[in-house]
Amino acid sequence: MNIIGNFIKGVINVTDKITGDDNPIEEQKEVLKNLLQSGKDTSFGKAYGFDSILENEDIQTIFKLNVPYFDYNEINVKWWHKLHEDQTDVTWPGSPDYFALSSGTTGKSSKRIPVTDEMIDSIKQAGIKQVLALSNFDLPADFFETGILMLGSSTDLIENNDHLEGEISGISASNIPSWFSGYYKPGKEIAKIEDWDDRVAKIAEKAPDWNIGALSGIPSWIELMLKEVIKKHNLNNIHDIWPNLQVYTSGGVAFRPYEKSFNALMGKPVAVIDTYLASEGFIAFQSRPETDAMKLVTDNGIYFEFVPFNPDYILDDGSLSQDAPSLSLSEVEKGQNYVLIISTVSGAWRYLIGDTVEFTDVDRAEIKITGRTKFFLNTVGSQLSVNKLDDALKDIMESFDMEIPEYTLCAKKYEDGFYHTWYLGTTSKQDSKEVAKKLDVSLKAANKNYKVARSKALKGVKVFMVDPEIFYTWNNRNKKKGGQVKMERVMKEEKFAEWEDFVKKQN
């Protein structure tokens, strides 16, 4: 009898019932009020009149009238750089103990995003909420006695003057609660290994010693790790060594492109639960099995605003026009695409996180990530978001029975006009011209703007199929293997030329 597992499951079920129904709209009003109260005596709060904002009855409206939008470059140049010059109380009281390094998908030098003690606590609390939500997934008691293998970046953080730096997954793992350490794998010693390949080799070596019930990490790197474990121990699938594996907590990117290749490594189905942990905070998590949408964490140190997605609002560098209107949670509509704006307990204010989202259930505050503002493909008016690209790719995988865990594309200009030029990471031997035709048909059916563009300046689709390893080697070349790293889905022509030159050299 699983005494401990039954006890833990019982606590989770009871706690989840006691918490009852929430009220996301009212929670968000309270979060904004608390953020302004905490920030009013900072340099930022004084500059933008937080005291006077708090005197108004409708602080949500006055807040957005008084405070401009910021992307990373602007808030760093105007404010956050002061944190590296021994200044305190800049955009949040005191100075942060951590900075999250995030180079995103551009391969450029890392951003340094403040991570305060309050944000560490916020991430922990959101993690607890997600654990409590497991009561909705009807997992057996023995699941709660298994380990969770979290594959993120190294927890061996970099000391830089008076703070530590690393990716947010490494910072989070280095601050796990003591009660969780018994469940956490690969454990602190292995998690500190800086080299990703060395860390995975050690995980593969220790795999037989662990009873893993859950995995957590970005799909592409989880897959590579699972393949190494399977190869090391000559297994048919991962359940041969971890028979109690029942849950995979995905995050960072849409799981759909990886679903087929991921399932090929399994011996039986596992529950896939999406999460949205960014360098700027724990944004959302999937709270129930009836949907793959994620519930915004609306009561935990992050205030959300939503700008209706309109290409005219997005500037060439991916930042947001100050004329773009923003909506609070009480004003959004289901099925609309929004640019996500956040204000946080780390001193980010009206901050463009770079993601676009769509509400699937407004009352529950449930969203899906639909893409990146910089990855929106609008050359010659095609207006394709990443979720539309993912949908088309899923159609291709089903139609041709292919596994395509990675892809990238560009609206590239040839002598006769623009073509959407796709590189698909696959070992399939399908005819690339047939795949291109099907992609074109799928995109026309899914998006009227694409269909119009195809009748004008957009001449067609070109497809090149390359080994998925080339994508991983590309990321490794940019020192971005493992951790929170995500492949660029849409590239500009200059970057795409680098990519194509790189691919040629690999063949």
Side-chain angles (χ1 to χ4, degrees):
M1 183 177 181
N2 300 302
I3 298 175
I4 297 176
N6 277 303
F7 174 76
I8 294 173
K9 184 177 182 181
V11 170
I12 288 174
N13 286 333
V14 170
T15 305
D16 194 49
K17 287 181 173 63
I18 291 174
T19 55
D21 295 330
D22 52 13
N23 187 329
I25 291 173
E26 291 304 314
E27 288 170 351
Q28 279 287 274
K29 290 179 181 178
E30 190 65 21
V31 165
L32 178 58
K33 181 180 178 181
N34 290 337
L35 288 172
L36 293 171
Q37 287 281 7
S38 296
K40 63 186 176 65
D41 293 325
T42 65
S43 298
F44 189 97
K46 292 174 181 177
Y48 291 104
F50 283 10
D51 265 334
S52 62
I53 294 174
L54 285 163
E55 293 173 359
N56 287 271
E57 186 173 330
D58 184 2
I59 63 172
Q60 290 175 297
T61 297
I62 304 303
F63 173 63
K64 66 184 180 182
L65 289 175
N66 280 30
V67 182
Y69 298 122
F70 290 91
D71 64 1
Y72 173 78
N73 291 331
E74 190 161 11
I75 199 169
N76 188 58
V77 167
K78 292 183 177 180
W79 297 100
W80 284 348
H81 77 92
K82 299 176 184 180
L83 295 169
H84 302 285
E85 300 168 358
D86 296 329
Q87 294 191 40
T88 60
D89 302 331
V90 178
T91 63
W92 192 256
S95 57
D97 291 329
Y98 300 91
F99 281 82
L101 302 181
S102 172
S103 56
T105 49
T106 64
K108 296 179 180 178
S109 58
S110 290
K111 301 174 183 176
R112 284 176 164 79
I113 297 165
V115 181
T116 61
D117 289 344
E118 291 87 347
M119 179 55 74
I120 294 290
D121 186 60
S122 172
I123 292 171
K124 287 180 182 178
Q125 293 302 317
I128 291 170
K129 288 176 183 290
Q130 185 172 26
V131 170
L132 293 175
L134 290 175
S135 64
N136 298 325
F137 288 83
D138 194 29
L139 295 164
D142 59 8
F143 169 78
F144 297 96
E145 295 188 2
T146 60
I148 175 170
L149 176 54
M150 300 169 64
L151 188 66
S153 55
S154 171
T155 58
D156 190 16
L157 304 176
I158 303 165
E159 290 190 28
N160 189 343
N161 295 324
D162 60 346
H163 63 266
L164 296 172
E165 298 181 345
E167 286 190 7
I168 192 64
S169 58
I171 293 172
S172 299
S174 66
N175 282 278
I176 60 170
S178 57
W179 62 265
F180 184 65
S181 60
Y183 299 93
Y184 167 61
K185 305 298 179 191
K188 292 184 177 180
E189 290 306 312
I190 296 176
K192 284 183 179 180
I193 299 174
E194 177 64 30
D195 184 87
W196 190 85
D197 291 313
D198 290 345
R199 198 176 341 135
V200 168
K202 194 66 177 178
I203 289 171
E205 178 186 325
K206 298 287 290 183
D209 301 336
W210 301 332
N211 178 20
I212 299 298
L215 301 170
S216 178
I218 286 179
S220 54
W221 307 117
I222 286 285
E223 280 193 24
L224 286 181
M225 181 273 293
L226 294 176
K227 288 177 181 178
E228 286 301 311
V229 174
I230 290 169
K231 179 182 177 182
K232 170 80 173 176
H233 301 285
N234 195 27
L235 310 173
N236 292 317
N237 57 69
I238 200 62
H239 279 103
D240 286 347
I241 199 167
W242 294 329
N244 295 315
L245 177 60
Q246 299 179 69
V247 171
Y248 167 47
T249 302
S250 180
V253 294
F255 180 68
R256 282 171 295 172
Y258 303 94
E259 185 174 10
K260 191 176 182 66
S261 55
F262 178 86
N263 288 338
L265 303 175
M266 301 293 119
K268 54 188 176 183
V270 300
V272 178
I273 302 176
D274 272 329
T275 62
Y276 186 2
L277 172 63
S279 297
E280 294 83 0
F282 200 142
I283 307 293
F285 61 86
Q286 183 182 343
S287 66
R288 57 195 183 100
E290 303 95 312
T291 176
D292 59 359
M294 296 176 289
K295 179 180 177 61
L296 288 170
V297 184
T298 54
D299 64 344
N300 195 29
I302 302 178
Y303 177 70
F304 301 103
E305 295 175 77
F306 309 90
V307 174
F309 188 86
N310 181 328
D312 293 340
Y313 297 154
I314 309 299
L315 305 180
D316 290 340
D317 62 357
S319 63
L320 201 58
S321 167
Q322 293 296 336
D323 296 331
S326 74
L327 306 177
S328 66
L329 190 57
S330 64
E331 300 169 302
V332 297
E333 297 178 1
K334 179 180 177 180
Q336 299 297 311
N337 218 17
Y338 296 102
V339 177
L340 183 61
I341 305 296
I342 61 172
S343 300
T344 79
V345 289
S346 274
W349 297 102
R350 305 202 78 209
Y351 181 89
L352 174 66
I353 197 170
D355 291 327
T356 59
V357 301
E358 174 186 320
F359 280 85
T360 59
D361 189 315
V362 174
D363 292 336
R364 287 190 171 99
E366 288 181 339
I367 61 162
K368 287 185 177 182
I369 301 172
T370 56
R372 298 280 294 171
T373 54
K374 291 184 179 181
F375 289 177
F376 187 73
L377 192 60
N378 193 36
T379 306
V380 297
S382 53
Q383 293 194 23
L384 289 171
S385 58
V386 170
N387 66 321
K388 295 295 185 184
L389 303 176
D390 286 347
D391 287 344
L393 196 71
K394 184 177 182 180
D395 193 18
I396 290 297
M397 288 190 282
E398 291 175 352
S399 298
F400 294 99
D401 193 24
M402 300 169 64
E403 292 179 12
I404 311 173
E406 295 290 353
Y407 74 90
T408 192
L409 73 151
C410 173
K412 181 180 175 181
K413 190 173 185 179
Y414 294 80
E415 288 185 3
D416 59 336
F418 284 96
Y419 286 80
H420 281 181
T421 304
W422 293 64
Y423 277 77
L424 306 181
T426 180
T427 56
S428 172
K429 303 302 180 185
Q430 287 287 344
D431 185 335
S432 60
K433 291 184 179 179
E434 290 301 314
V435 173
K437 287 180 183 178
K438 179 61 178 173
L439 262 177
D440 194 33
V441 169
S442 296
L443 290 168
K444 283 179 180 176
N447 190 293
K448 63 181 181 181
N449 291 309
Y450 175 84
K451 189 174 182 179
V452 171
R454 280 288 287 112
S455 68
K456 296 180 179 178
L458 185 60
K459 299 301 181 182
V461 173
K462 293 180 184 288
V463 166
F464 299 92
M465 297 191 292
V466 299
D467 193 298
E469 288 292 329
I470 291 178
F471 287 84
Y472 308 137
T473 306
W474 165 265
N475 282 333
N476 193 36
R477 184 199 72 159
N478 289 307
K479 298 181 180 179
K480 295 171 60 187
K481 194 172 184 180
Q484 297 296 109
V485 177
K486 295 159 277 191
M487 182 67 194
E488 288 172 272
R489 293 309 190 202
V490 177
M491 293 185 183
K492 302 290 187 183
E493 283 202 71
E494 183 178 349
K495 187 67 173 288
F496 198 67
E498 291 180 30
W499 161 257
E500 292 199 298
D501 183 58
F502 176 81
V503 172
K504 288 177 184 176
K505 292 176 180 177
Q506 301 304 305
N507 294 325

